[in-house]
Amino acid sequence: GLIQVTAKRDEVGEELYKKIQTLTPHTSIGVKGVLKAIPKAPNGVEVRPREVKVLGYASVNSPIQLYARKLPSLDKRLEIRAVDLRRPTAQAIFRIRQEALKAIREHLLRNGYHEIHTPKIISSATEGGAALFPLLYYNKEAFLTQSPQLYKEQLVMAFEKVFEIGPAFRAEQSRTLEHLSEFISVDVEEAYVDYRDVMNRLEAIVREVVGVVKSRCAKELAMLQYEPQLPDTFKKFTYDEVLEILAEHGHKVEWGEDLSSAALAKLAEVNPSYYFIIDWPTQSKPFYISQKKGDPKLSESFDLIFGSLEIASGGTRVSSRRVLEKRLKEKGLNPKSFAYHLKVFDYGMPPHAGFGLGFERFLMTLTGQKNIREVTYFPRDQRHLTP
């Protein structure tokens, strides 16, 4: 924690007083002394030292001052991230991070979900596309996982309700304030439900986490000068309704296209907090997302958005092997590469649904941060492979 040490020359003596004057910022010290009640000091007390021991001398002048309002650039701070994270405002972010993770896990365990851990080295692309990190696995081609999607689907056969909080990897080709190459994903999957059920679960999680953060982290939020807010309801707009809203505001999007950053920014003007976009075109969603009954052009899918920031995506899953093989071919993927997954569907795969929540993006909405690197201990992106 934080404690104030006050050395008065006439109290501590000339030798100790001179020693204290040689201390440099960021030096680690041990202090023995007497506690005094000082109402204006942090926590209402300070230490009057009798002995000071240098435990780790800071021999380099740091460009980062713990209480400075003006800081070096984020790239400069990331070079010595551990030092940067000594700042009280930075620590406030990560205390909120810890409480948010704890609240998510508590909510899911309390509601009967089984925590799982799935492989991070995989043999085939989960999502398809080029955003993969390849690696050599005993002279075989393998990849870092983009998502635990296929494994968590398989595990609902055994455990019915599962979740995982763990790393995922995407070779993002653009450097933005919202993308990382390595991030924490909160993945939930449940049998015998559809996408509306898991949307309700996701909303319940967000509401509980916001409440927990506001109650347990009031001091940290005050340091950040931010308070997360919730709408009365998480509105649900269909993809078609979103296109109509955008057209009314002079922003035309062709049907079937994804929503650009400019389109989402326009939506944020109308909906600055949390809301869902549902029933996306089937062509824009991964092969494992189920089509809507009666309208195969649309899918039983959703994205959770905060203003212009997409923080989660999910939907009802395909539970038929025949349909899954057809969808793989439509996406230009080879079903043989997914044989290990497809064969499980021969053993009575139940209907199921789920979602993946990008935890760092969610944390941005809890802390008011605009750059995802501020809520990540050691960010990984195109520029950062160290520290």
Side-chain angles (χ1 to χ4, degrees):
L2 189 64
I3 195 161
Q4 180 171 294
V5 180
T6 301
K8 296 184 177 180
R9 189 192 299 245
D10 57 348
E11 282 186 4
V12 302
E14 195 66 31
E15 185 180 347
L16 182 54
Y17 192 76
K18 284 182 177 178
K19 182 179 183 179
I20 290 170
Q21 286 182 310
T22 67
L23 299 177
T24 55
H26 292 283
T27 289
S28 296
I29 61 172
V31 179
K32 270 186 180 179
V34 179
L35 280 177
K36 296 282 186 180
I38 305 290
K40 290 186 179 180
N43 301 313
V45 295
E46 71 177 16
V47 177
R48 299 288 175 83
R50 295 288 181 265
E51 183 184 347
V52 174
K53 198 169 189 178
V54 175
L55 304 175
Y57 184 72
S59 59
V60 177
N61 287 329
S62 170
I64 300 167
Q65 297 179 27
L66 300 188
Y67 296 94
R69 290 190 178 183
K70 189 172 182 180
L71 292 166
S73 70
L74 179 57
D75 281 341
K76 191 73 176 173
R77 288 187 282 122
L78 289 177
E79 292 176 5
I80 46 173
R81 183 59 161 160
V83 178
D84 182 43
L85 292 178
R86 282 177 158 177
R87 291 184 298 110
T89 50
Q91 292 200 354
I93 292 170
F94 290 93
R95 289 197 181 97
I96 292 170
R97 178 189 175 103
Q98 177 172 274
E99 291 298 334
L101 274 175
K102 184 178 171 185
I104 291 170
R105 182 173 273 109
E106 287 173 347
H107 177 98
L108 290 166
L109 291 173
R110 190 173 65 246
N111 284 279
Y113 289 83
H114 178 79
E115 185 165 9
I116 59 173
H117 295 95
T118 59
K120 300 300 167 241
I121 300 174
I122 59 172
S123 63
S124 57
T126 304
E127 308 282 352
L132 286 161
F133 286 108
L135 55 88
L136 193 62
Y137 186 75
Y138 301 110
N139 295 318
K140 296 178 183 177
E141 184 182 48
F143 306 94
L144 292 177
T145 184
Q146 299 166 302
S147 157
Q149 181 61 41
L150 306 187
Y151 290 102
K152 67 174 180 167
E153 284 192 58
Q154 292 184 33
L155 287 171
V156 297
M157 294 184 72
F159 298 101
E160 191 172 319
K161 300 166 74 171
V162 301
F163 77 96
E164 178 170 9
I165 301 173
F169 307 86
R170 299 199 179 187
E172 298 288 354
Q173 297 303 315
S174 59
R175 177 177 164 84
T176 75
L177 301 182
E178 302 165 0
H179 289 88
L180 291 171
S181 298
E182 179 181 356
F183 58 96
I184 298 299
S185 183
V186 178
D187 278 270
V188 172
E189 203 75 18
E190 184 172 348
Y192 309 109
V193 298
D194 67 12
Y195 74 136
R196 293 191 178 272
D197 297 304
V198 291
M199 265 192 285
N200 291 337
R201 175 60 61 200
L202 177 54
E203 179 173 344
I205 289 171
V206 172
R207 288 189 176 279
E208 181 165 332
V209 172
V210 170
V212 164
V213 166
K214 289 172 77 169
S215 64
R216 294 182 192 169
C217 304
K219 184 169 69 173
E220 286 78 13
L221 291 170
M223 291 175 74
L224 297 172
Q225 299 181 327
Y226 182 79
E227 185 175 354
Q229 300 296 327
L230 286 167
D232 293 335
T233 59
F234 284 23
K235 293 180 180 177
K236 295 180 177 67
F237 302 95
T238 67
Y239 175 82
D240 288 342
E241 288 172 339
V242 164
L243 263 53
E244 290 173 9
I245 293 169
L246 289 170
E248 289 170 6
H249 288 80
H251 195 103
K252 184 173 175 56
V253 176
E254 292 297 326
W255 197 93
E257 288 183 5
D258 203 354
L259 300 180
S260 65
S261 298
L264 288 169
K266 186 63 67 176
L267 283 176
E269 296 174 10
V270 183
N271 302 283
S273 191
Y274 300 98
Y275 62 97
F276 288 103
I277 301 176
I278 67 171
D279 299 351
W280 288 76
T282 300
Q283 67 191 49
S284 69
K285 288 295 176 181
F287 65 87
Y288 49 78
I289 293 289
S290 181
Q291 295 169 317
K292 280 186 75 71
K293 296 175 181 65
D295 193 349
K297 295 195 309 299
L298 298 177
S299 60
E300 292 193 357
S301 59
F302 64 85
D303 286 355
L304 176 62
I305 315 288
F306 180 88
S308 62
L309 182 67
E310 178 195 332
I311 62 174
S313 185
T316 307
R317 314 307 192 189
V318 175
S319 56
S320 159
R321 174 170 181 161
R322 179 184 57 80
V323 175
L324 205 53
E325 288 180 335
K326 178 172 175 286
R327 294 293 307 283
L328 281 164
K329 291 173 183 175
E330 288 172 355
K331 292 289 184 179
L333 298 169
N334 186 353
K336 289 183 179 179
S337 299
F338 296 83
Y340 73 95
H341 182 61
L342 292 168
K343 68 181 179 182
V344 175
F345 285 69
D346 293 334
Y347 293 90
M349 174 66 78
H352 56 289
F355 62 83
L357 168 72
F359 179 69
E360 284 86 358
R361 288 189 177 190
F362 182 34
L363 188 56
M364 290 170 70
T365 75
L366 299 174
T367 58
Q369 302 304 300
K370 303 302 181 187
N371 191 324
I372 197 167
R373 292 155 192 80
E374 296 281 14
V375 300
T376 310
Y377 289 104
F378 296 100
R380 289 291 175 264
D381 56 31
Q382 286 178 311
R383 294 187 187 177
H384 298 104
L385 187 55
T386 60

